[in-house]
Amino acid sequence: MYDAQRDACLAAAQAGGKVLLGFFRKLDPATITEKTKNDVVSEADRAAEAAIQAELDFRFPQYGFMGEEGGASGDIERRWIVDPLDGTLNFVQGFPHWCVSVALWDAEGPVVGCVLDPLREDCFLAVRGMGATWNGQPMHVSQQAGLDGAFLATGFAFQLGERWPAFNAALGRVFPRAKGIRRAGSAALDLAHVACGIFDGYFELGLKPWDIAAGALLVQEAGGVITDWEGGQTWFQSGSLVTGTPCVAKDLLETLKG
């Protein structure tokens, strides 16, 4: 089930990744612009999204499409949700931590998802009800039993604005209990790294659908838990999520709420 959709998802991510590798550390500064203050976009983002959309349109012309750069079109019940370059600021600065995220969603949620890290040749892939893989091998969240001693990821951006004090206070409650907290600048990769057991948990506020559409399925199919910051299931709509192993996610949620 969903074999063709899985293959399309992977092929599209690979097409985008190939484009991005051709641009990395070779960008013309004149092609880098700000969408809003401190939120940049480059010719690499646009070219990768075009390559991804062309692959998906060829294989599944009946599905809709939502991309970070080009917006939404077509069927809203079954549509691809794409971040052609998650970690654009890293990419523009030459920091080697970014990825491609491609997912198919329907009325019930995520169907297939792929997060591809072209630089490390790491491919994270999941299909609803069929588990998740890392470079073709089954993957699972870690065995970490709780927040104390957990290795965590988080994220924060200029766009947090007035939410920064609340986030900072929550971070202050988590910090003394975690073994380490990393902020690497790519939500999709953070989710993939939770799914494969590198991180034990992850939390962030105000993400966009394309940031989490693929990574969320990876975590779910790898045995992880995802909630919003209130413990509910509005995380996709709000973009504010808490995730990790079942025990870490539970402890993390309670700690964030104070």
Side-chain angles (χ1 to χ4, degrees), residues 127-171:
V127 180
R128 179 196 290 164
M130 298 182 66
T133 61
W134 179 10
N135 295 333
Q137 299 301 311
M139 69 176 176
H140 200 275
V141 296
S142 78
Q143 299 300 307
Q144 176 67 22
L147 181 56
D148 293 312
F151 187 48
L152 304 176
T154 191
F156 48 86
F158 175 84
Q159 290 76 13
L160 267 181
E162 63 186 19
R163 291 174 295 179
W164 168 254
F167 177 87
N168 195 34
L171 180 63

Side-chain angles (χ1 to χ4, degrees), residues 9 81 100-105 110 112-115 124-126 188 191-192 209-220 236:
C9 187
I81 303 178
V100 182
S101 174
V102 181
L104 175 66
W105 279 57
V112 297
C114 180
V115 172
F124 305 91
L125 190 62
L191 287 164
W210 43 81
D211 297 321
I212 57 181
L217 182 63
L218 295 175
V219 171
Q220 290 170 331
F236 189 67

Side-chain angles (χ1 to χ4, degrees), residues 61-132:
Q62 70 272 36
Y63 291 175
F65 184 89
M66 175 192 285
E68 179 177 7
E69 308 311 329
S73 59
D75 188 354
I76 62 172
E77 288 296 316
R78 293 182 302 172
R79 67 179 175 187
W80 300 100
I81 303 178
V82 171
D83 192 337
L85 174 51
D86 189 50
T88 297
L89 185 56
N90 288 349
F91 188 95
V92 165
Q93 295 294 137
F95 180 56
H97 190 82
W98 45 268
C99 69
V100 182
S101 174
V102 181
L104 175 66
W105 279 57
D106 65 14
E108 298 177 13
V111 179
V112 297
C114 180
V115 172
L116 178 68
D117 178 346
L119 288 175
R120 297 175 181 86
E121 298 184 343
D122 272 342
C123 179
F124 305 91
L125 190 62
V127 180
R128 179 196 290 164
M130 298 182 66

Side-chain angles (χ1 to χ4, degrees), residues 3 10 13 17 22 43 57 70 72 127 139 148 203 217 223 244 252:
D3 288 353
L10 175 59
E43 61 178 332
D57 285 349
V127 180
M139 69 176 176
D148 293 312
F203 60 100
L217 182 63
L252 186 53

Side-chain angles (χ1 to χ4, degrees), residues 20 23-24 42 86 89 133 143 170 226 251:
L20 294 175
F23 279 104
F24 187 53
S42 73
D86 189 50
L89 185 56
T133 61
Q143 299 300 307
I226 305 176
D251 285 357

